[in-house]
Amino acid sequence: MSLERESAVRAAAVGDLSGNGSPSIVVASREGKVYAFDGRGERLAGFPVSIDRALARPATPTRPVESGILTSPVLAELDGKPGLEIVVAAMDGHLYAWRKNGAPLTGFPVRVAPEETVDELSKMVSTPAVGDIDGDGRPEIVMGSNGLRDGLATAYAVRARGNAHPDGPFLRGWAPFELPALRPDLLPTLSNGIHMTPALVDVDDDGDDEVALYAVTGTALVLVNQSPEVGPVILARHSLRPDDDSTLRGTTFLGGTGSPLVADTDGDGGQEIYAPLLSFRMLTLRTKPGVPIDVPLALGGWNVGNGESIAPEPMLAGYPRRMEDLMIWARPAAADVDGDGSQEVLMGSGGYLLHAFAGAGGEAEGFPKFTGGWIFSAPASGDLDGDGRLDVVAVTREGYLFAWEVGPALPVDSGATAAVER
């Protein structure tokens, strides 16, 4: 008996989909289906659901789309009813939303393209972020697109009601919002336009979220504030120039392909942001592929800031930190792996290594860890075996799950909830 399988490239989402207090697991396949399971692994009624195959046809030079999903599903409250909705951005250029029973949410799918165009459409490999960015008490769905307009990378913000909203699906100024980049079409699909998952964070304490964005080969990380009068406004910029204490000082960096982390890693009450970076020398490789030059990849770090300074936010001391390979789809995570009271920044790459960068420089003892495979996703941490010590988990593209026990013993109430065989 043959068993049919579908590829699941990105991470699953876990949440109370049904609103009954029990977790569900939702995963999207490369083939364009979305599956939902209960905590026992039983498939939920109404699933799988599928994207509309017809929306990917025809594919043309102005419609470089295909049928499938290369993003993670997002579970979010969109309709004000018990339970969560499933939000997915697809490679057919459309944003989908389904209810907990698999029925499409009214107003979806939304065609994610400039409003004035008819034939333009582009893939999306940017997992959406959901939050209230305009302060109206209702969430918006923010995502990047592979689409380019006159060399500018594009991002969109869709209202929770989608096409059913009387003012249309897009928030004012987000159809699209554009960012400059030096070579936004660096690689087809995987390094094109705005590839990262937007980060939402309230930096000015006004009750709504600002959006952290950067384009592939962009020259800055920006925080975008939604003004009720004029739409999106860049509130702050974060410099990609290395700190003077970084071993990479003198190297020019550009926006990368992975996604950012926002966390208070040093415990000072303020948040920091960490994001993968590309070397400017990557552009040289496209024109002179046979020239042997050092092309450093790196992880940048900044204080999030509050937008009050006119000058760009500088890099944190010692940042960026060198990485050995590309960080396509990868995202940092934060955990105190050495028990010093501050969180280290965990980051993996295509170079088979998992790093744990310490705030004072260097890495936590025992890091980096070697996996022998490409790390696409964010690492995770927790007391998995209930012994009071922190465990760090990473999964590789080749299908191997690694878990390491790190750091000193944790407090008894550290929250151990699961065990894995290591």
Side-chain angles (χ1 to χ4, degrees):
M1 181 180 69
S2 63
L3 296 176
E4 294 185 3
R5 293 182 174 89
E6 298 178 20
S7 300
V9 180
R10 304 292 290 273
V14 178
D16 186 5
L17 186 64
S18 300
N20 60 6
S22 299
S24 300
I25 305 165
V26 182
V27 62
S29 78
R30 170 64 179 81
E31 286 71 16
K33 293 182 181 179
V34 176
Y35 293 82
F37 306 89
D38 63 21
R40 300 184 302 276
E42 300 292 331
R43 189 177 298 178
L44 298 183
F47 291 90
V49 294
S50 176
I51 62 176
D52 187 343
R53 305 293 179 185
L55 295 180
R57 298 191 292 267
T60 69
T62 59
R63 288 172 52 93
V65 293
E66 58 181 285
S67 187
I69 300 171
L70 281 179
T71 61
S72 293
V74 176
L75 307 185
E77 170 50 57
L78 297 182
D79 63 358
K81 298 178 181 179
L84 302 174
E85 283 66 58
I86 302 170
V87 180
V88 171
M91 288 200 295
D92 62 12
H94 288 75
L95 180 69
Y96 292 81
W98 291 276
R99 296 185 183 278
K100 59 188 178 183
N101 61 358
L105 184 64
T106 301
F108 291 86
V110 171
R111 177 180 176 272
V112 182
E115 289 182 303
E116 70 273 14
T117 64
V118 176
D119 295 328
E120 289 186 26
L121 204 58
S122 298
K123 299 174 187 175
M124 291 187 291
V125 297
S126 165
T127 295
V130 181
D132 181 10
I133 68 171
D134 64 355
D136 68 348
R138 295 291 303 275
E140 285 75 42
I141 306 163
V142 188
M143 75 231 82
S145 169
N146 279 20
L148 306 175
R149 303 189 75 194
D150 299 322
L152 298 174
T154 54
Y156 295 82
V158 174
R159 295 181 170 104
R161 294 178 60 188
N163 297 314
H165 194 282
D167 295 326
F170 299 109
L171 195 62
R172 180 179 180 180
W174 288 87
F177 176 73
E178 299 170 337
L179 286 177
L182 297 184
R183 188 66 183 271
D185 57 347
L186 185 64
L187 292 173
T189 304
L190 300 182
S191 300
N192 213 83
I194 295 178
H195 177 283
M196 48 83 76
T197 299
L200 305 185
V201 55
D202 183 5
V203 302
D204 53 7
D205 296 322
D206 64 352
D208 58 55
D209 289 330
E210 282 68 54
V211 185
L213 287 174
Y214 49 86
V216 172
T217 72
T219 57
L221 183 156
V222 299
L223 285 176
V224 183
N225 181 54
Q226 183 67 14
S227 166
E229 292 80 19
V230 299
V233 176
I234 294 179
L235 182 69
R237 297 179 184 271
H238 293 66
S239 171
L240 304 190
R241 178 183 179 275
D243 175 70
D244 290 340
D245 292 331
S246 171
T247 58
L248 295 169
R249 63 186 180 278
T251 304
T252 300
F253 286 98
L254 304 170
T257 56
S259 295
L261 162 74
V262 177
D264 179 11
T265 54
D266 57 9
D268 67 351
Q271 293 185 309
E272 293 78 47
I273 186 166
Y274 301 89
L277 302 175
L278 295 173
S279 168
F280 180 84
R281 296 173 188 170
M282 289 288 293
L283 307 190
T284 304
L285 292 182
R286 289 295 303 269
T287 57
K288 299 179 180 180
V291 178
I293 59 175
D294 183 31
V295 184
L297 288 304
L299 181 71
W302 306 262
N303 287 313
V304 169
N306 54 18
E308 293 181 355
S309 174
I310 297 177
E313 191 73 32
M315 285 263 192
L316 294 173
Y319 276 86
R321 305 289 177 86
R322 184 158 189 155
M323 299 291 295
E324 58 286 330
D325 207 331
L326 289 170
M327 294 158 278
I328 294 177
W329 290 333
R331 183 174 65 84
D336 182 5
V337 302
D338 57 9
D340 67 352
S342 296
Q343 297 186 90
E344 285 68 49
V345 180
L346 305 175
M347 187 67 191
S349 76
Y352 304 175
L353 296 179
L354 176 67
H355 295 271
F357 295 117
E363 299 199 42
E365 184 178 355
F367 285 85
K369 303 289 189 182
F370 181 74
T371 65
W374 192 321
I375 301 173
F376 268 156
S377 58
S381 61
D383 182 6
L384 303 181
D385 51 7
D387 68 349
R389 299 188 67 186
L390 185 69
D391 303 297
V392 171
V393 179
V395 63
T396 69
R397 179 191 61 179
E398 293 75 15
Y400 291 96
L401 179 67
F402 291 82
W404 301 273
E405 191 170 71
V406 298
L410 299 173
V412 175
D413 60 350
S414 59
T417 58
V420 297
E421 181 178 352
R422 291 173 291 160

